[in-house]
Amino acid sequence: MNILNTSKKFLKAGVCAIMLITAGQAQAQQVTVDASIDSLQLLIGEQAKVKLEISMDAKQKLQLPFLRDTLVKGVEILDIAKPDTQMLNDGKRMLIKQEYTITSFDSALYYLPPFEVMVNGEPYRSKALAVKVYSIPVDTLHPEQFFGPKTVREVPITWDDVSAIVWLTLLMLALGGLAYYLFVRYKDNKPIIKKIKIEPKLPPHQQALKEIERIKGDKTLRTADPKTYYTELTDVLRTYMEERFGFNAMEMTSSEIIDKLQEINDKESIKDLMYLFQTADLVKFAKHSPLMNENDMNLVNAVDFINNTKVEPDPNAKPEPTEITVEEKRSKQGRMILLGSISIIVIAIVVILYKVLSGVYNLWFLPHACT
């Protein structure tokens, strides 16, 4: 007997637990749909707001009613606002609000059927609504207050009406001129004329002294990289000798250069230059590290050699040209670019012409009058 009573108690407790769980799930899955309207009475042409609210579980999927431009026959939908979603109960529930703007142009009492929404594939409906639309009252006791239609009168054309047409026409003419010019250039394939400016050529000694001044100004070159320092210094001297004496010093060794110079000058005049080339060969080929004053002395020797052997230019000599003209045939790529530019301009002209003709038609051929 006790075992039977105990079994009944456990069974009763299990049933209660199942009912509580089911009730909790049902409450969690509960869906409510409510509809309201802000005005139950409207004049013809007035607007009203219909609000649809859906409360549901956050995990459920909602499908709002698909409406276009008519709620029911005689009631038009002017606007459908974007749905507004509000989360409730720490994100477990959500409230969706949808607002419709409606109006009517026929006086009558309209029955607005329930809104039907789909939640997880199941339909849920709101309550039905109603709205009364009244026509505008007419005062038949005072007919003298009514005015007949006004006569039609022409509206004068102002600058604002034609300004766009004028500016577009001018732009079209300018583009037409540009297209014609480019077409002529494309057809004739005229050469591209380039003017290249050339700096006046300096005398050999002036160019050499200018380069030595540059080397002298680079102090880090003398201290950190003596090999580059002597290479640049001797290259300046080799170039000067080629232009001054006419032998190919750039392709000769240091000893060959000294031998060549001894044929032109006495041995005493190039004594310091011999020392400079010997030091340069030691630095470049024997990794010799000259002292700072030795580097400065060799630079001074180079300057002295140039000054002692320079030839001043004739002041009456004709200066070399500073500008030359080069004619080049336009490349195939250039012609294609030119043809593409013409095509784009022609398309722009056609679009502008369409705009101008449309403006002229709307301005002069369509009726423009006010009452």
Side-chain angles (χ1 to χ4, degrees), residues 299-331:
L299 188 140
V300 171
N301 291 338
V303 173
D304 290 340
F305 173 76
I306 294 171
N307 287 329
N308 292 332
T309 58
K310 68 181 180 180
V311 175
E312 294 291 347
D314 184 3
N316 298 322
K318 185 178 179 180
E320 295 186 15
T322 58
E323 185 177 86
I324 62 174
T325 301
V326 179
E327 289 190 359
E328 297 179 354
K329 288 291 185 180
R330 187 175 290 108
S331 64

Side-chain angles (χ1 to χ4, degrees), residues 182-237:
L182 295 177
F183 176 75
V184 172
R185 292 292 300 271
Y186 175 80
K187 185 177 179 181
D188 295 343
N189 194 22
K190 290 182 178 180
I192 302 172
I193 300 176
K194 294 182 179 180
K195 291 187 176 181
I196 303 174
K197 291 187 178 295
I198 300 177
E199 294 184 2
K201 187 176 180 181
L202 295 175
H205 67 279
Q206 292 184 9
Q207 183 65 35
L209 292 175
K210 181 179 178 182
E211 291 296 323
I212 289 176
E213 283 296 323
R214 177 187 62 80
I215 297 172
K216 180 181 177 182
D218 193 349
K219 296 181 179 180
T220 58
L221 192 64
R222 283 182 287 172
T223 58
D225 193 0
K227 183 177 179 180
T228 304
Y229 171 75
Y230 277 96
T231 300
E232 292 189 6
L233 184 60
T234 53
D235 284 348
V236 171
L237 290 172

Side-chain angles (χ1 to χ4, degrees), residues 120-192:
N120 283 352
E122 296 185 11
Y124 293 87
R125 292 187 176 186
S126 69
K127 63 182 179 181
L129 300 174
V131 61
K132 176 67 175 177
V133 180
Y134 295 92
S135 60
I136 299 176
V138 179
D139 188 1
T140 57
L141 299 178
H142 302 85
E144 69 279 359
Q145 293 183 0
F146 292 92
F147 303 97
K150 295 182 179 180
T151 58
V152 177
R153 55 189 179 91
E154 294 293 332
V155 178
I157 297 176
T158 63
W159 168 249
D160 292 336
D161 297 326
V162 299
S163 60
I165 298 175
V166 172
W167 292 120
L168 287 175
T169 302
L170 293 177
L171 177 60
M172 182 177 61
L173 293 176
L175 291 176
L178 178 60
Y180 177 76
Y181 170 76
L182 295 177
F183 176 75
V184 172
R185 292 292 300 271
Y186 175 80
K187 185 177 179 181
D188 295 343
N189 194 22
K190 290 182 178 180
I192 302 172

